[in-house]
Amino acid sequence: SVASRVPAVHDLLMRAPFSRRAHLVPVLFGGTEVLPWRGLVIEVDVGEYEGFYRYFAGTGPEPEIDWLETHCAGSQVLFDIGANQGFVALAVARACPQLRVVAFEPDPVNAARFRRNVGWNPGLAHRIEVVELAAGAATGTAYFETAAGMNSGTGKVAGSGSGSRQVGLTTVADYCEAHGVRPDVIKIDVEGAEADVLSGLGPVAGTLSGLVVEIHHDQPTQAEREAFVQRLQAHFARLPLTFRFL
């Protein structure tokens, strides 16, 4: 990576997004770059969290991707719910050549960049579908708060009237019935709406072979997070599960 050549610069840069001067990162580094990553070509905004770390350090949610690559090796369909700019979906699709990825991303800015990233990797285009919908507990519409600050992945479904735009909403079960598809593995990263997505799985929950859930601030205390994980582990006792806590 760029920064790894000069350790002192690397250490300073890695702290920048979490420092008192984090607001300067988009000003100093903002702009589109195209770079190699995990055998892919990706477009990033270096002034945004995901792009910053991939440009300067080559890092991202690597344990999550590694887990998915392992558990999707024998799978046919992955649902990536909260797909952001497509980095996870693209990496797993590249590693698992038999895999079809259905990626849900309601933020139009992220969805547009995801489609451009698919375009940079045309050999994967026929196996990746970008669905510009949110997933939740019901089918219809929802208010969506777009991301604030330098992290494009923090947009979320919000309460009625409190979001900045309306987006389409579907349950996983309804989408599967309407499109004749069923996932083997699901990844969920939806900034606090994890329980809503899970409640909308319906019969799909009984046929999954793997599940990744990123746990966010809707469980604000450690005890509440642990209780949520225990409920998931009990409900999906037969599945390989993994969790990321943010």
Side-chain angles (χ1 to χ4, degrees), residues 17-33:
F18 302 100
S19 71
R20 289 177 299 171
R21 294 176 174 81
H23 63 284
L24 294 176
V25 171
V27 177
L28 295 173
F29 302 109
T32 299
E33 295 285 346

PDB file of all heavy atoms in Angstrom, residues 17-33:
ATOM      1  N   PRO A  17      -8.865   9.250  10.671  1.00  0.00           N
ATOM      2  CA  PRO A  17     -10.339   9.258  10.673  1.00  0.00           C
ATOM      3  C   PRO A  17     -10.963   9.260  12.065  1.00  0.00           C
ATOM      4  O   PRO A  17     -12.163   9.525  12.194  1.00  0.00           O
ATOM      5  CB  PRO A  17     -10.690   7.961   9.921  1.00  0.00           C
ATOM      6  CG  PRO A  17      -9.490   7.682   9.091  1.00  0.00           C
ATOM      7  CD  PRO A  17      -8.334   8.102   9.937  1.00  0.00           C
ATOM      8  N   PHE A  18     -10.179   8.962  13.100  1.00  0.00           N
ATOM      9  CA  PHE A  18     -10.718   8.913  14.459  1.00  0.00           C
ATOM     10  C   PHE A  18     -10.145  10.029  15.337  1.00  0.00           C
ATOM     11  O   PHE A  18     -10.331  10.025  16.544  1.00  0.00           O
ATOM     12  CB  PHE A  18     -10.424   7.544  15.082  1.00  0.00           C
ATOM     13  CG  PHE A  18     -10.995   6.410  14.285  1.00  0.00           C
ATOM     14  CD1 PHE A  18     -10.193   5.680  13.428  1.00  0.00           C
ATOM     15  CD2 PHE A  18     -12.342   6.094  14.369  1.00  0.00           C
ATOM     16  CE1 PHE A  18     -10.715   4.637  12.677  1.00  0.00           C
ATOM     17  CE2 PHE A  18     -12.876   5.059  13.620  1.00  0.00           C
ATOM     18  CZ  PHE A  18     -12.063   4.327  12.768  1.00  0.00           C
ATOM     19  N   SER A  19      -9.450  10.967  14.727  1.00  0.00           N
ATOM     20  CA  SER A  19      -8.832  12.050  15.469  1.00  0.00           C
ATOM     21  C   SER A  19      -9.761  13.254  15.517  1.00  0.00           C
ATOM     22  O   SER A  19     -10.825  13.284  14.901  1.00  0.00           O
ATOM     23  CB  SER A  19      -7.513  12.456  14.807  1.00  0.00           C
ATOM     24  OG  SER A  19      -7.776  13.123  13.579  1.00  0.00           O
ATOM     25  N   ARG A  20      -9.324  14.290  16.247  1.00  0.00           N
ATOM     26  CA  ARG A  20     -10.104  15.520  16.337  1.00  0.00           C
ATOM     27  C   ARG A  20     -10.187  16.230  14.988  1.00  0.00           C
ATOM     28  O   ARG A  20     -11.042  17.093  14.784  1.00  0.00           O
ATOM     29  CB  ARG A  20      -9.476  16.454  17.372  1.00  0.00           C
ATOM     30  CG  ARG A  20      -9.626  15.994  18.821  1.00  0.00           C
ATOM     31  CD  ARG A  20      -8.924  16.929  19.756  1.00  0.00           C
ATOM     32  NE  ARG A  20      -7.490  16.988  19.470  1.00  0.00           N
ATOM     33  CZ  ARG A  20      -6.659  17.862  20.040  1.00  0.00           C
ATOM     34  NH1 ARG A  20      -7.111  18.763  20.889  1.00  0.00           N
ATOM     35  NH2 ARG A  20      -5.372  17.830  19.743  1.00  0.00           N
ATOM     36  N   ARG A  21      -9.297  15.883  14.083  1.00  0.00           N
ATOM     37  CA  ARG A  21      -9.274  16.525  12.767  1.00  0.00           C
ATOM     38  C   ARG A  21      -9.831  15.618  11.666  1.00  0.00           C
ATOM     39  O   ARG A  21      -9.513  15.783  10.499  1.00  0.00           O
ATOM     40  CB  ARG A  21      -7.844  16.959  12.445  1.00  0.00           C
ATOM     41  CG  ARG A  21      -7.352  18.064  13.382  1.00  0.00           C
ATOM     42  CD  ARG A  21      -5.908  18.440  13.130  1.00  0.00           C
ATOM     43  NE  ARG A  21      -5.517  19.585  13.941  1.00  0.00           N
ATOM     44  CZ  ARG A  21      -5.165  19.507  15.224  1.00  0.00           C
ATOM     45  NH1 ARG A  21      -5.147  18.329  15.836  1.00  0.00           N
ATOM     46  NH2 ARG A  21      -4.829  20.589  15.890  1.00  0.00           N
ATOM     47  N   ALA A  22     -10.673  14.690  12.069  1.00  0.00           N
ATOM     48  CA  ALA A  22     -11.255  13.772  11.077  1.00  0.00           C
ATOM     49  C   ALA A  22     -12.027  14.514   9.999  1.00  0.00           C
ATOM     50  O   ALA A  22     -12.102  14.057   8.850  1.00  0.00           O
ATOM     51  CB  ALA A  22     -12.166  12.771  11.783  1.00  0.00           C
ATOM     52  N   HIS A  23     -12.587  15.680  10.358  1.00  0.00           N
ATOM     53  CA  HIS A  23     -13.367  16.438   9.375  1.00  0.00           C
ATOM     54  C   HIS A  23     -12.508  16.945   8.221  1.00  0.00           C
ATOM     55  O   HIS A  23     -13.030  17.312   7.167  1.00  0.00           O
ATOM     56  CB  HIS A  23     -14.041  17.629  10.057  1.00  0.00           C
ATOM     57  CG  HIS A  23     -13.081  18.629  10.629  1.00  0.00           C
ATOM     58  ND1 HIS A  23     -12.387  18.394  11.800  1.00  0.00           N
ATOM     59  CD2 HIS A  23     -12.680  19.851  10.178  1.00  0.00           C
ATOM     60  CE1 HIS A  23     -11.607  19.441  12.073  1.00  0.00           C
ATOM     61  NE2 HIS A  23     -11.765  20.332  11.105  1.00  0.00           N
ATOM     62  N   LEU A  24     -11.191  16.933   8.406  1.00  0.00           N
ATOM     63  CA  LEU A  24     -10.301  17.390   7.343  1.00  0.00           C
ATOM     64  C   LEU A  24      -9.998  16.300   6.316  1.00  0.00           C
ATOM     65  O   LEU A  24      -9.506  16.606   5.225  1.00  0.00           O
ATOM     66  CB  LEU A  24      -8.984  17.905   7.935  1.00  0.00           C
ATOM     67  CG  LEU A  24      -9.077  19.160   8.801  1.00  0.00           C
ATOM     68  CD1 LEU A  24      -7.713  19.482   9.397  1.00  0.00           C
ATOM     69  CD2 LEU A  24      -9.611  20.337   7.998  1.00  0.00           C
ATOM     70  N   VAL A  25     -10.273  15.040   6.668  1.00  0.00           N
ATOM     71  CA  VAL A  25      -9.930  13.940   5.762  1.00  0.00           C
ATOM     72  C   VAL A  25     -10.610  14.088   4.403  1.00  0.00           C
ATOM     73  O   VAL A  25      -9.949  13.990   3.361  1.00  0.00           O
ATOM     74  CB  VAL A  25     -10.238  12.579   6.413  1.00  0.00           C
ATOM     75  CG1 VAL A  25     -10.084  11.448   5.406  1.00  0.00           C
ATOM     76  CG2 VAL A  25      -9.317  12.345   7.609  1.00  0.00           C
ATOM     77  N   PRO A  26     -11.926  14.349   4.336  1.00  0.00           N
ATOM     78  CA  PRO A  26     -12.546  14.523   3.010  1.00  0.00           C
ATOM     79  C   PRO A  26     -11.985  15.724   2.251  1.00  0.00           C
ATOM     80  O   PRO A  26     -11.895  15.698   1.022  1.00  0.00           O
ATOM     81  CB  PRO A  26     -14.033  14.714   3.337  1.00  0.00           C
ATOM     82  CG  PRO A  26     -14.218  14.107   4.677  1.00  0.00           C
ATOM     83  CD  PRO A  26     -12.936  14.364   5.409  1.00  0.00           C
ATOM     84  N   VAL A  27     -11.616  16.779   2.999  1.00  0.00           N
ATOM     85  CA  VAL A  27     -11.089  17.982   2.356  1.00  0.00           C
ATOM     86  C   VAL A  27      -9.721  17.707   1.747  1.00  0.00           C
ATOM     87  O   VAL A  27      -9.429  18.090   0.611  1.00  0.00           O
ATOM     88  CB  VAL A  27     -11.007  19.136   3.379  1.00  0.00           C
ATOM     89  CG1 VAL A  27     -10.383  20.369   2.728  1.00  0.00           C
ATOM     90  CG2 VAL A  27     -12.382  19.456   3.937  1.00  0.00           C
ATOM     91  N   LEU A  28      -8.866  17.010   2.508  1.00  0.00           N
ATOM     92  CA  LEU A  28      -7.494  16.769   2.068  1.00  0.00           C
ATOM     93  C   LEU A  28      -7.386  15.645   1.042  1.00  0.00           C
ATOM     94  O   LEU A  28      -6.544  15.706   0.145  1.00  0.00           O
ATOM     95  CB  LEU A  28      -6.618  16.443   3.280  1.00  0.00           C
ATOM     96  CG  LEU A  28      -6.423  17.568   4.297  1.00  0.00           C
ATOM     97  CD1 LEU A  28      -5.682  17.054   5.518  1.00  0.00           C
ATOM     98  CD2 LEU A  28      -5.685  18.748   3.671  1.00  0.00           C
ATOM     99  N   PHE A  29      -8.220  14.598   1.213  1.00  0.00           N
ATOM    100  CA  PHE A  29      -8.031  13.392   0.406  1.00  0.00           C
ATOM    101  C   PHE A  29      -9.189  13.058  -0.514  1.00  0.00           C
ATOM    102  O   PHE A  29      -9.105  12.118  -1.303  1.00  0.00           O
ATOM    103  CB  PHE A  29      -7.772  12.191   1.331  1.00  0.00           C
ATOM    104  CG  PHE A  29      -6.584  12.354   2.223  1.00  0.00           C
ATOM    105  CD1 PHE A  29      -6.742  12.552   3.585  1.00  0.00           C
ATOM    106  CD2 PHE A  29      -5.304  12.323   1.702  1.00  0.00           C
ATOM    107  CE1 PHE A  29      -5.645  12.709   4.421  1.00  0.00           C
ATOM    108  CE2 PHE A  29      -4.196  12.471   2.523  1.00  0.00           C
ATOM    109  CZ  PHE A  29      -4.365  12.669   3.887  1.00  0.00           C
ATOM    110  N   GLY A  30     -10.297  13.787  -0.401  1.00  0.00           N
ATOM    111  CA  GLY A  30     -11.481  13.450  -1.182  1.00  0.00           C
ATOM    112  C   GLY A  30     -11.214  13.445  -2.676  1.00  0.00           C
ATOM    113  O   GLY A  30     -10.545  14.324  -3.213  1.00  0.00           O
ATOM    114  N   GLY A  31     -11.719  12.441  -3.344  1.00  0.00           N
ATOM    115  CA  GLY A  31     -11.536  12.306  -4.779  1.00  0.00           C
ATOM    116  C   GLY A  31     -11.537  10.847  -5.163  1.00  0.00           C
ATOM    117  O   GLY A  31     -11.223   9.974  -4.357  1.00  0.00           O
ATOM    118  N   THR A  32     -11.923  10.572  -6.391  1.00  0.00           N
ATOM    119  CA  THR A  32     -12.057   9.199  -6.858  1.00  0.00           C
ATOM    120  C   THR A  32     -10.718   8.643  -7.322  1.00  0.00           C
ATOM    121  O   THR A  32      -9.980   9.311  -8.045  1.00  0.00           O
ATOM    122  CB  THR A  32     -13.073   9.123  -8.002  1.00  0.00           C
ATOM    123  OG1 THR A  32     -14.349   9.558  -7.516  1.00  0.00           O
ATOM    124  CG2 THR A  32     -13.192   7.704  -8.545  1.00  0.00           C
ATOM    125  N   GLU A  33     -10.425   7.440  -6.893  1.00  0.00           N
ATOM    126  CA  GLU A  33      -9.253   6.696  -7.356  1.00  0.00           C
ATOM    127  C   GLU A  33      -9.700   5.281  -7.731  1.00  0.00           C
ATOM    128  O   GLU A  33     -10.661   4.752  -7.159  1.00  0.00           O
ATOM    129  CB  GLU A  33      -8.175   6.607  -6.273  1.00  0.00           C
ATOM    130  CG  GLU A  33      -7.568   7.937  -5.875  1.00  0.00           C
ATOM    131  CD  GLU A  33      -6.607   8.487  -6.915  1.00  0.00           C
ATOM    132  OE1 GLU A  33      -6.216   7.718  -7.824  1.00  0.00           O
ATOM    133  OE2 GLU A  33      -6.265   9.685  -6.829  1.00  0.00           O
TER     134      GLU A  33
END
